[in-house]
Amino acid sequence: KQEVTQIPAALSVPEGENLVLNCSFTDSAIYNLQWFRQDPGKGLTSLLLIQSSQREQTSGRLNASLDKSSGRSTLYIAASQPGDSATYLCAVASGSNYKLTFGKGTLLTVNP
Amino acid sequence: DAGVIQSPRHEVTEMGQEVTLRCKPISGHNSLFWYRQTMMRGLELLIYFNNNVPIDDSGMPEDRFSAKMPNASFSTLKIQPSEPRDSAVYFCASRNPGGQETQYFGPGTRLLVL
């Protein structure tokens, strides 16, 4: 059974700092790994999707890496802003139906 | 596109009552997912439809939960009878044909069972 763990559970940083969120998964037989953002009271928004054959994806100030063999991914946020404050969830797609298994998320607070 | 639409956004009911949650996926998407999110367990997949057919319902907690997708533009998740431990946020998501694409989530229904 696939399990996804995210560390840390919560993170508070001052504005402008670069930061890294971590995600690990137990079964390396994945199709892709995705990072989502969830704002309070809202649904999830996809940030980055890394296919299993890829090593990283970038979008603006966000960079996600994937090391499938070790079961790890990181989400790097450069020059953090208060608007980046949200919960960040990692999910891996595996199994015959590309089922997504989610971590419990990292609650990020960026202080002005 | 309006995105995935869920209704109601909030539901408060008493234990034992029937609850019906509704979802309209993004037009053209052929896969639909129902998730439940709680603080304790995080986000869990309840059931997954492909082309209106239930493919994987292994996450449905018990017989009190049922889901239907009568056509490509509408799905329901029903809880009967509801219990306080069903209190959670229920999300619907849809996806383009082909499993390698991301899922698009609705805003969720916040359910409180008293």
Side-chain angles (χ1 to χ4, degrees), chain B residues 8-22:
Chain B
R9 294 294 311 277
H10 302 273
E11 178 83 21
V12 180
T13 191
E14 293 187 346
M15 183 174 64
Q17 296 298 306
E18 177 179 296
V19 175
T20 299
L21 311 181
R22 297 173 177 79

PDB file of all heavy atoms in Angstrom, chain B residues 8-22:
ATOM      1  N   PRO B   8     -24.251  21.172  -1.930  1.00  0.00           N
ATOM      2  CA  PRO B   8     -24.089  22.524  -1.421  1.00  0.00           C
ATOM      3  C   PRO B   8     -22.650  22.773  -0.975  1.00  0.00           C
ATOM      4  O   PRO B   8     -21.854  21.848  -0.922  1.00  0.00           O
ATOM      5  CB  PRO B   8     -25.039  22.529  -0.212  1.00  0.00           C
ATOM      6  CG  PRO B   8     -24.990  21.113   0.279  1.00  0.00           C
ATOM      7  CD  PRO B   8     -24.876  20.256  -0.951  1.00  0.00           C
ATOM      8  N   ARG B   9     -22.299  23.994  -0.661  1.00  0.00           N
ATOM      9  CA  ARG B   9     -20.967  24.292  -0.156  1.00  0.00           C
ATOM     10  C   ARG B   9     -20.863  23.955   1.339  1.00  0.00           C
ATOM     11  O   ARG B   9     -19.789  23.576   1.808  1.00  0.00           O
ATOM     12  CB  ARG B   9     -20.626  25.769  -0.375  1.00  0.00           C
ATOM     13  CG  ARG B   9     -20.488  26.164  -1.840  1.00  0.00           C
ATOM     14  CD  ARG B   9     -19.288  25.496  -2.504  1.00  0.00           C
ATOM     15  NE  ARG B   9     -18.078  25.647  -1.711  1.00  0.00           N
ATOM     16  CZ  ARG B   9     -17.305  26.730  -1.742  1.00  0.00           C
ATOM     17  NH1 ARG B   9     -17.600  27.728  -2.533  1.00  0.00           N
ATOM     18  NH2 ARG B   9     -16.224  26.792  -0.988  1.00  0.00           N
ATOM     19  N   HIS B  10     -21.955  24.109   2.024  1.00  0.00           N
ATOM     20  CA  HIS B  10     -21.995  23.781   3.452  1.00  0.00           C
ATOM     21  C   HIS B  10     -23.296  23.029   3.738  1.00  0.00           C
ATOM     22  O   HIS B  10     -24.336  23.343   3.162  1.00  0.00           O
ATOM     23  CB  HIS B  10     -21.957  25.062   4.313  1.00  0.00           C
ATOM     24  CG  HIS B  10     -20.760  25.911   4.061  1.00  0.00           C
ATOM     25  ND1 HIS B  10     -19.567  25.734   4.721  1.00  0.00           N
ATOM     26  CD2 HIS B  10     -20.562  26.948   3.204  1.00  0.00           C
ATOM     27  CE1 HIS B  10     -18.689  26.627   4.300  1.00  0.00           C
ATOM     28  NE2 HIS B  10     -19.256  27.370   3.388  1.00  0.00           N
ATOM     29  N   GLU B  11     -23.193  22.046   4.625  1.00  0.00           N
ATOM     30  CA  GLU B  11     -24.369  21.271   4.999  1.00  0.00           C
ATOM     31  C   GLU B  11     -24.272  20.934   6.476  1.00  0.00           C
ATOM     32  O   GLU B  11     -23.271  20.376   6.925  1.00  0.00           O
ATOM     33  CB  GLU B  11     -24.445  19.986   4.174  1.00  0.00           C
ATOM     34  CG  GLU B  11     -25.604  19.071   4.517  1.00  0.00           C
ATOM     35  CD  GLU B  11     -26.900  19.464   3.831  1.00  0.00           C
ATOM     36  OE1 GLU B  11     -26.831  20.176   2.819  1.00  0.00           O
ATOM     37  OE2 GLU B  11     -27.960  19.069   4.315  1.00  0.00           O
ATOM     38  N   VAL B  12     -25.315  21.302   7.210  1.00  0.00           N
ATOM     39  CA  VAL B  12     -25.413  20.926   8.617  1.00  0.00           C
ATOM     40  C   VAL B  12     -26.663  20.073   8.764  1.00  0.00           C
ATOM     41  O   VAL B  12     -27.753  20.486   8.341  1.00  0.00           O
ATOM     42  CB  VAL B  12     -25.499  22.162   9.545  1.00  0.00           C
ATOM     43  CG1 VAL B  12     -25.590  21.712  11.001  1.00  0.00           C
ATOM     44  CG2 VAL B  12     -24.291  23.060   9.342  1.00  0.00           C
ATOM     45  N   THR B  13     -26.524  18.898   9.342  1.00  0.00           N
ATOM     46  CA  THR B  13     -27.652  17.999   9.474  1.00  0.00           C
ATOM     47  C   THR B  13     -27.567  17.266  10.807  1.00  0.00           C
ATOM     48  O   THR B  13     -26.549  17.334  11.506  1.00  0.00           O
ATOM     49  CB  THR B  13     -27.682  17.000   8.304  1.00  0.00           C
ATOM     50  OG1 THR B  13     -28.923  16.294   8.310  1.00  0.00           O
ATOM     51  CG2 THR B  13     -26.538  16.006   8.397  1.00  0.00           C
ATOM     52  N   GLU B  14     -28.624  16.591  11.119  1.00  0.00           N
ATOM     53  CA  GLU B  14     -28.643  15.825  12.363  1.00  0.00           C
ATOM     54  C   GLU B  14     -28.381  14.350  12.086  1.00  0.00           C
ATOM     55  O   GLU B  14     -28.727  13.838  11.003  1.00  0.00           O
ATOM     56  CB  GLU B  14     -29.986  16.001  13.070  1.00  0.00           C
ATOM     57  CG  GLU B  14     -30.191  17.423  13.565  1.00  0.00           C
ATOM     58  CD  GLU B  14     -31.448  17.556  14.414  1.00  0.00           C
ATOM     59  OE1 GLU B  14     -32.282  16.631  14.407  1.00  0.00           O
ATOM     60  OE2 GLU B  14     -31.595  18.608  15.080  1.00  0.00           O
ATOM     61  N   MET B  15     -27.811  13.711  13.035  1.00  0.00           N
ATOM     62  CA  MET B  15     -27.515  12.282  12.930  1.00  0.00           C
ATOM     63  C   MET B  15     -28.761  11.521  12.499  1.00  0.00           C
ATOM     64  O   MET B  15     -29.861  11.761  13.007  1.00  0.00           O
ATOM     65  CB  MET B  15     -27.028  11.768  14.286  1.00  0.00           C
ATOM     66  CG  MET B  15     -26.620  10.324  14.297  1.00  0.00           C
ATOM     67  SD  MET B  15     -25.903   9.844  15.875  1.00  0.00           S
ATOM     68  CE  MET B  15     -27.281  10.076  16.968  1.00  0.00           C
ATOM     69  N   GLY B  16     -28.556  10.617  11.546  1.00  0.00           N
ATOM     70  CA  GLY B  16     -29.660   9.805  11.069  1.00  0.00           C
ATOM     71  C   GLY B  16     -30.304  10.320   9.798  1.00  0.00           C
ATOM     72  O   GLY B  16     -31.017   9.569   9.115  1.00  0.00           O
ATOM     73  N   GLN B  17     -30.046  11.556   9.462  1.00  0.00           N
ATOM     74  CA  GLN B  17     -30.624  12.133   8.254  1.00  0.00           C
ATOM     75  C   GLN B  17     -29.836  11.716   7.014  1.00  0.00           C
ATOM     76  O   GLN B  17     -28.651  11.386   7.082  1.00  0.00           O
ATOM     77  CB  GLN B  17     -30.647  13.660   8.342  1.00  0.00           C
ATOM     78  CG  GLN B  17     -31.533  14.204   9.457  1.00  0.00           C
ATOM     79  CD  GLN B  17     -32.984  13.813   9.252  1.00  0.00           C
ATOM     80  OE1 GLN B  17     -33.572  14.067   8.201  1.00  0.00           O
ATOM     81  NE2 GLN B  17     -33.564  13.182  10.264  1.00  0.00           N
ATOM     82  N   GLU B  18     -30.514  11.761   5.886  1.00  0.00           N
ATOM     83  CA  GLU B  18     -29.863  11.478   4.607  1.00  0.00           C
ATOM     84  C   GLU B  18     -29.207  12.750   4.080  1.00  0.00           C
ATOM     85  O   GLU B  18     -29.780  13.836   4.155  1.00  0.00           O
ATOM     86  CB  GLU B  18     -30.897  10.975   3.595  1.00  0.00           C
ATOM     87  CG  GLU B  18     -30.326  10.723   2.211  1.00  0.00           C
ATOM     88  CD  GLU B  18     -31.373  10.203   1.252  1.00  0.00           C
ATOM     89  OE1 GLU B  18     -31.896   9.099   1.485  1.00  0.00           O
ATOM     90  OE2 GLU B  18     -31.687  10.916   0.272  1.00  0.00           O
ATOM     91  N   VAL B  19     -28.004  12.583   3.556  1.00  0.00           N
ATOM     92  CA  VAL B  19     -27.260  13.709   2.992  1.00  0.00           C
ATOM     93  C   VAL B  19     -26.907  13.373   1.550  1.00  0.00           C
ATOM     94  O   VAL B  19     -26.429  12.264   1.269  1.00  0.00           O
ATOM     95  CB  VAL B  19     -25.974  13.977   3.785  1.00  0.00           C
ATOM     96  CG1 VAL B  19     -25.155  15.068   3.127  1.00  0.00           C
ATOM     97  CG2 VAL B  19     -26.297  14.337   5.233  1.00  0.00           C
ATOM     98  N   THR B  20     -27.136  14.319   0.645  1.00  0.00           N
ATOM     99  CA  THR B  20     -26.767  14.118  -0.757  1.00  0.00           C
ATOM    100  C   THR B  20     -25.876  15.263  -1.214  1.00  0.00           C
ATOM    101  O   THR B  20     -26.260  16.427  -1.138  1.00  0.00           O
ATOM    102  CB  THR B  20     -28.007  14.044  -1.661  1.00  0.00           C
ATOM    103  OG1 THR B  20     -28.816  12.944  -1.258  1.00  0.00           O
ATOM    104  CG2 THR B  20     -27.580  13.840  -3.119  1.00  0.00           C
ATOM    105  N   LEU B  21     -24.694  14.904  -1.670  1.00  0.00           N
ATOM    106  CA  LEU B  21     -23.742  15.879  -2.189  1.00  0.00           C
ATOM    107  C   LEU B  21     -23.701  15.745  -3.704  1.00  0.00           C
ATOM    108  O   LEU B  21     -23.772  14.634  -4.235  1.00  0.00           O
ATOM    109  CB  LEU B  21     -22.346  15.631  -1.596  1.00  0.00           C
ATOM    110  CG  LEU B  21     -22.278  15.456  -0.077  1.00  0.00           C
ATOM    111  CD1 LEU B  21     -20.842  15.234   0.364  1.00  0.00           C
ATOM    112  CD2 LEU B  21     -22.900  16.617   0.642  1.00  0.00           C
ATOM    113  N   ARG B  22     -23.541  16.878  -4.381  1.00  0.00           N
ATOM    114  CA  ARG B  22     -23.642  16.888  -5.836  1.00  0.00           C
ATOM    115  C   ARG B  22     -22.377  17.446  -6.476  1.00  0.00           C
ATOM    116  O   ARG B  22     -21.708  18.311  -5.901  1.00  0.00           O
ATOM    117  CB  ARG B  22     -24.850  17.708  -6.273  1.00  0.00           C
ATOM    118  CG  ARG B  22     -26.167  17.134  -5.792  1.00  0.00           C
ATOM    119  CD  ARG B  22     -27.350  18.021  -6.078  1.00  0.00           C
ATOM    120  NE  ARG B  22     -28.599  17.409  -5.670  1.00  0.00           N
ATOM    121  CZ  ARG B  22     -29.060  17.369  -4.422  1.00  0.00           C
ATOM    122  NH1 ARG B  22     -28.349  17.936  -3.439  1.00  0.00           N
ATOM    123  NH2 ARG B  22     -30.201  16.795  -4.141  1.00  0.00           N
TER     124      ARG B  22
END
